[in-house]
Amino acid sequence: LKNYGRAIKQELDKHPDKKRIALITTEYDSTLKRTAAVRELVKEKSLIVFDETISSIAEIPGVTVKLIAKKPQVIVINLLPGQVGIFSKKIREYNLDVLLIGPDSIAEKSELELAQGSLDNALYIDSDLDPDFLSRYENDYQEYPPNRFAHGYDAVHILANAYRLSGFKKDKKIINTLIRVKNFSGALGQFSIAEDNSNCFDLKATV
C-alpha cells in the first residue's frame, strides 16, 4: 500500500502545475487503505481540495457535482470495478481538464468498455507481472491478464503453501504462516508481508 501511495506521489511530482487534488474512494477495506496511503504522502494537505467516500454507485452523480465545484486538476480514484467507468463518464460530461489516476482495474477490458472513452489518457497503478506467468497466460487466453487475476493466482498459491506448511491442519498455524510470508515468488513478482502490521503484501507499484 505504501508503494501504491509512493507511485502516485512520484507521478504527482511530475506535474507541479497541478496543485488541486481530489480523492474519491469506495467504502471498502482495500480502497480505503490505498487512499490513506496517498493522503499520508501528500505532505501539503492544502492541496487536497476534495476527499470523500461513497458506499454505492447511486451516490456517484451527487458526489461528482460536489467534486466538480472544487475544480480539481488531479482526481485519484480508488473505486471498485464497475464504479470507475461510471464515475469517469460523469466527470467527462463536465469537460473538465483533469488528470485521472486510479487502480489497475482502469485497464481492464470491461471497465474500458463501460467508460466509453472517458478513461483515455488516464493513468493506473499496477505491479509488473512475472514474465513466465505473463507468457503462459497470454498463450492460453490470447490477452494480457487483468491484474486481479494475478492477485487471485498468487493468493491461492500462498494459501495452499501455508496449508501445507501447517501440516494440513485448520488451526492458527495457517494464520501464523500467512503473516510471516517472506520473499514469495509468484505472478506479481517477489514480495513479502508488509512490515507495518497492515496484513497486506508489500507489492511493487508502477504507473
Side-chain angles (χ1 to χ4, degrees):
L1 290 171
K2 287 186 177 180
N3 289 340
Y4 179 90
R6 289 190 192 103
I8 289 184
K9 178 63 166 59
Q10 289 169 2
E11 188 61 33
L12 293 176
D13 289 343
K14 296 177 184 177
H15 304 275
D17 57 313
K18 297 185 181 297
K19 300 291 188 181
R20 300 175 64 82
I21 303 167
L23 308 177
I24 181 165
T25 315
T26 297
E27 196 169 340
Y28 189 75
D29 188 52
S30 62
T31 54
L32 290 169
K33 287 181 177 179
R34 284 201 299 260
T35 296
V38 175
R39 193 184 292 119
E40 181 182 340
L41 289 168
V42 179
K43 295 181 180 179
E44 297 179 57
K45 299 300 181 183
S46 60
L47 297 179
I48 300 177
V49 297
F50 184 88
D51 188 352
E52 194 152 332
T53 300
I54 65 170
S55 57
S56 71
I57 288 177
E59 296 176 62
I60 288 178
V63 166
T64 303
V65 171
K66 290 194 290 183
L67 187 153
I68 291 298
K70 298 296 183 179
K71 299 180 180 179
Q73 295 168 300
V74 180
I75 302 176
V76 179
I77 308 167
N78 278 310
L79 301 176
L80 296 177
Q83 296 177 336
V84 176
I86 293 172
F87 174 74
S88 63
K89 282 173 64 178
K90 294 299 295 183
I91 287 294
R92 298 307 187 194
E93 287 177 6
Y94 292 87
N95 296 315
L96 187 68
D97 181 20
V98 63
L99 174 64
L100 300 179
I101 307 177
D104 54 273
S105 61
I106 281 180
E108 291 189 16
K109 183 178 180 181
S110 59
E111 202 72 55
L112 293 173
E113 290 175 348
L114 183 63
Q116 297 179 343
S118 60
L119 285 171
D120 291 355
N121 300 317
L123 303 178
Y124 65 94
I125 311 303
D126 204 348
S127 299
D128 293 328
L129 298 181
D130 174 71
D132 180 60
F133 171 82
L134 181 58
S135 175
R136 288 186 288 114
Y137 188 96
E138 289 180 332
N139 284 337
D140 288 343
Y141 301 102
Q142 289 74 56
E143 66 177 13
Y144 190 87
N147 190 269
R148 58 191 170 91
F149 285 18
H151 279 269
Y153 179 91
D154 282 352
V156 169
H157 282 80
I158 289 172
L159 187 57
N161 187 53
Y163 191 47
R164 178 180 60 79
L165 291 174
S166 69
F168 301 100
K169 296 178 180 179
K170 297 179 180 178
D171 57 20
K172 291 183 178 179
K173 288 183 179 179
I174 295 178
I175 296 174
N176 290 334
T177 301
L178 289 172
I179 62 176
R180 290 175 173 80
V181 172
K182 294 289 184 182
N183 301 320
F184 175 83
S185 293
L188 294 165
Q190 188 176 83
F191 53 88
S192 303
I193 195 75
E195 296 180 357
D196 59 0
N197 297 317
S198 62
N199 292 325
C200 297
F201 291 108
D202 190 21
L203 296 170
K204 294 179 180 179
T206 55
V207 178

